PDB file of all heavy atoms in Angstrom:
ATOM      1  N   GLN G  39       0.722 -15.205   1.895  1.00 98.00           N
ATOM      2  CA  GLN G  39       1.689 -14.875   0.830  1.00 98.00           C
ATOM      3  C   GLN G  39       1.816 -16.034  -0.165  1.00 98.00           C
ATOM      4  O   GLN G  39       2.324 -17.051   0.280  1.00 98.00           O
ATOM      5  CB  GLN G  39       2.993 -14.357   1.335  1.00 98.00           C
ATOM      6  CG  GLN G  39       3.893 -13.785   0.228  1.00 98.00           C
ATOM      7  CD  GLN G  39       5.102 -13.011   0.812  1.00 98.00           C
ATOM      8  OE1 GLN G  39       5.396 -13.159   1.975  1.00 98.00           O
ATOM      9  NE2 GLN G  39       5.706 -12.290  -0.050  1.00 98.00           N
ATOM     10  N   ALA G  40       1.366 -15.859  -1.291  1.00 97.00           N
ATOM     11  CA  ALA G  40       1.414 -16.953  -2.316  1.00 97.00           C
ATOM     12  C   ALA G  40       2.798 -16.744  -3.067  1.00 97.00           C
ATOM     13  O   ALA G  40       3.367 -15.634  -3.021  1.00 97.00           O
ATOM     14  CB  ALA G  40       0.292 -16.833  -3.312  1.00 97.00           C
ATOM     15  N   PRO G  41       3.344 -17.820  -3.654  1.00 93.00           N
ATOM     16  CA  PRO G  41       4.563 -17.755  -4.389  1.00 93.00           C
ATOM     17  C   PRO G  41       4.591 -16.608  -5.401  1.00 93.00           C
ATOM     18  O   PRO G  41       3.652 -16.562  -6.205  1.00 93.00           O
ATOM     19  CB  PRO G  41       4.784 -19.163  -5.010  1.00 93.00           C
ATOM     20  CG  PRO G  41       3.906 -20.042  -4.077  1.00 93.00           C
ATOM     21  CD  PRO G  41       2.792 -19.234  -3.694  1.00 93.00           C
ATOM     22  N   GLY G  42       5.552 -15.775  -5.393  1.00 95.00           N
ATOM     23  CA  GLY G  42       5.713 -14.688  -6.315  1.00 95.00           C
ATOM     24  C   GLY G  42       4.755 -13.566  -6.165  1.00 95.00           C
ATOM     25  O   GLY G  42       4.715 -12.634  -7.006  1.00 95.00           O
ATOM     26  N   LYS G  43       3.969 -13.568  -5.098  1.00 96.00           N
ATOM     27  CA  LYS G  43       3.097 -12.483  -4.819  1.00 96.00           C
ATOM     28  C   LYS G  43       3.328 -11.753  -3.514  1.00 96.00           C
ATOM     29  O   LYS G  43       4.042 -12.292  -2.708  1.00 96.00           O
ATOM     30  CB  LYS G  43       1.624 -13.031  -4.877  1.00 96.00           C
ATOM     31  CG  LYS G  43       1.141 -13.567  -6.193  1.00 96.00           C
ATOM     32  CD  LYS G  43      -0.228 -13.939  -6.206  1.00 96.00           C
ATOM     33  CE  LYS G  43      -0.730 -14.415  -7.548  1.00 96.00           C
ATOM     34  NZ  LYS G  43      -2.206 -14.853  -7.540  1.00 96.00           N
ATOM     35  N   GLU G  44       2.792 -10.593  -3.416  1.00 96.00           N
ATOM     36  CA  GLU G  44       2.892  -9.875  -2.095  1.00 96.00           C
ATOM     37  C   GLU G  44       2.000 -10.519  -1.066  1.00 96.00           C
ATOM     38  O   GLU G  44       0.973 -11.068  -1.362  1.00 96.00           O
ATOM     39  CB  GLU G  44       2.541  -8.422  -2.355  1.00 96.00           C
ATOM     40  CG  GLU G  44       3.556  -7.619  -3.339  1.00 96.00           C
ATOM     41  CD  GLU G  44       3.219  -6.208  -3.328  1.00 96.00           C
ATOM     42  OE1 GLU G  44       2.240  -5.746  -2.777  1.00 96.00           O
ATOM     43  OE2 GLU G  44       4.061  -5.403  -3.851  1.00 96.00           O
TER      44      GLU G  44
END
Side-chain angles (χ1 to χ4, degrees):
Q39 187 165 18
K43 295 187 177 181
E44 294 187 351

